[in-house]
Amino acid sequence: MAAPLAPRRGAGAAGRRWSVLLSPLLLLVLLRARPAGALVEGLYCGTRDCYEVLGVSRSAGKAEIARAYRQLARRYHPDRYRPEPGDEGPGRTPQSAEEAFLLVATAYETLKDEETRKDYDYMLDHPEEYYSHYYHYYSRRLAPKVDVRVVILVSVCAISVFQFFSWWNSYNKAISYLATVPKYRIQATEIARQQGLLKKAKEKGRNKKSKEEIRDEEENIIKNIIKSKIDIKGGYQKPQICDLLLFQIILAPFHLCSYIVWYCRWIYNFNIKGKEYGEEERLYIIRKSMKMSKSQFDSLEDHQKETFLKRELWIKENYEVYKQEQEEELKKKLANDPRWKRYRRWMKNEGPGRLTFVDD
């Protein structure tokens, strides 16, 4: 009697290798055959298929989806729902009808938008990309409804308007203060008298205006003369439209290109060709050495700038000497200042950390 054929060792190993290779393929085929495996709680319609909730196929158009939604919304609306005999729908009680209505609304919100529907279909076809589906779902839900560019534009415009009115208020305060300074008030009053403005104000107000109205009109005349004759620089200067944030952003490319051209010319003229600095360049170097902004430097008096030029402060050594002189002068002023003496005496005798008990 012939012995049964023994199975070959190589055939068993090959079979195991094929089973190992086929297992992921079979799993992938099963997942593709059952796309409902991608349905998880918290995404879209949860464990329910949005197409099944509305009773439409995946190839349904927008009109068919909208029609199915309107029918189901009328049917399961909590205020209008009436259970029918043999009703096997998702809502059999008012509570379940409300849940069904919310589910229908969620399904419609998911399928009516093309981008959201595309993400949902991709989730059904690729259930293995679990974290990617969560990302796409919440990125669309949490995305701002308003265009960010519109928000930025409105914010910049609001800041520019506030900036303009704030600067205008500071300018008016500066004019009001200068109108109280005797030096400028006397000069403005003399100019107004020479031009006959004060006389005209009194003539017009002789019979029609009270003394307070005449006084206010004369004050406005003096302020207007100060505005036209005096040149205020720095933080209290007259506001300019081009200084607002909105126009600064619009003109930023132009300013950048202008600065690059200016810097290249500076390097070529003074570093390569070795030209001498002009008055504008010298003042620029002095301002940079003093670490002052353009508005702060422009607010200085003309005689101060002339002093800077006479002492040749654009040269580093001269500026260091000037800086040391200013520090010494400041120390002398503080040493002779009675308030500073009281402060030093208080710091020496008591100081901020000392506790005393005063009987009286």
Side-chain angles (χ1 to χ4, degrees), residues 26-39 49 58 123-128:
L26 290 174
L27 179 61
L28 181 59
V29 171
L30 290 175
L31 288 174
R32 286 186 173 274
R34 295 183 61 191
L39 302 177
D49 192 330
R58 289 186 61 173
M123 186 187 75
L124 296 179
D125 296 334
H126 302 82
E128 69 280 0

Side-chain angles (χ1 to χ4, degrees), residues 146-163 245-246 249:
V146 183
D147 192 350
V148 178
R149 293 170 294 183
V150 176
V151 176
I152 295 175
L153 179 61
V154 173
S155 302
V156 170
C157 292
I159 294 173
S160 300
V161 171
F162 175 78
Q163 191 178 26
L245 178 61
L246 178 62
I249 294 175

Side-chain angles (χ1 to χ4, degrees), residues 257-293:
C257 294
S258 300
Y259 176 76
I260 293 173
V261 172
W262 172 85
Y263 186 75
C264 293
R265 288 180 177 176
W266 182 283
I267 296 296
Y268 176 75
N269 291 327
F270 305 114
N271 293 3
I272 298 177
K273 297 184 68 176
K275 289 184 176 181
E276 293 186 0
Y277 296 124
E279 181 177 341
E280 184 178 353
E281 288 78 15
R282 293 172 180 176
L283 291 175
Y284 173 77
I285 296 175
I286 295 171
R287 179 170 67 85
K288 288 298 181 182
S289 300
M290 293 182 174
K291 297 179 180 180
M292 299 176 65
S293 64

Side-chain angles (χ1 to χ4, degrees), residues 167-233:
W167 285 353
W168 191 261
N169 186 36
S170 300
Y171 176 71
N172 287 331
K173 286 183 178 180
I175 295 298
S176 299
Y177 170 74
L178 292 176
T180 60
V181 177
K183 173 183 176 181
Y184 301 109
R185 187 175 185 87
I186 292 173
Q187 293 180 3
T189 304
E190 185 64 26
I191 293 173
R193 286 175 180 172
Q194 292 177 1
Q195 296 178 357
L197 298 176
L198 297 178
K199 186 177 180 181
K200 291 180 180 179
K202 291 180 180 180
E203 289 177 355
K204 291 182 179 179
R206 182 178 299 172
N207 299 323
K208 298 181 180 179
K209 296 181 181 180
S210 62
K211 293 183 178 180
E212 294 182 357
E213 292 176 343
I214 296 174
R215 192 181 304 113
D216 293 339
E217 188 172 351
E218 291 178 351
E219 189 71 19
N220 291 331
I221 292 173
I222 293 174
K223 289 182 179 180
N224 290 331
I225 292 175
I226 292 176
K227 287 181 182 180
S228 60
K229 297 298 182 180
I230 200 167
D231 183 19
I232 302 178
K233 297 180 180 179

Side-chain angles (χ1 to χ4, degrees), residues 46-165:
T47 56
R48 296 287 304 276
D49 192 330
C50 293
Y51 292 101
E52 293 180 358
V53 171
L54 296 180
V56 297
S57 63
R58 289 186 61 173
S59 60
K62 288 186 178 181
E64 185 178 353
I65 291 173
R67 184 165 54 252
Y69 166 71
R70 287 193 295 269
Q71 293 175 357
L72 293 174
R74 286 194 298 267
R75 181 179 180 183
Y76 293 114
H77 196 281
D79 297 336
R80 302 178 58 183
Y81 177 72
R82 297 293 182 272
E84 300 177 359
D87 189 2
E88 298 181 356
R92 298 180 182 179
T93 63
Q95 293 78 12
S96 60
E98 183 177 357
E99 295 175 359
F101 179 78
L102 295 177
L103 182 61
V104 169
T106 303
Y108 177 67
E109 292 292 330
T110 302
L111 300 180
K112 74 174 184 177
D113 184 68
E114 293 183 359
E115 296 297 328
T116 308
R117 183 178 179 180
K118 187 184 297 183
D119 291 342
Y120 183 71
D121 291 341
Y122 186 83
M123 186 187 75
L124 296 179
D125 296 334
H126 302 82
E128 69 280 0
E129 300 181 13
Y130 183 77
Y131 296 104
S132 177
H133 303 323
Y134 264 94
Y135 170 75
H136 289 294
Y137 175 76
Y138 284 105
S139 64
R140 292 193 182 278
R141 286 180 63 89
L142 300 178
K145 303 299 181 182
V146 183
D147 192 350
V148 178
R149 293 170 294 183
V150 176
V151 176
I152 295 175
L153 179 61
V154 173
S155 302
V156 170
C157 292
I159 294 173
S160 300
V161 171
F162 175 78
Q163 191 178 26
F164 179 78
F165 283 105

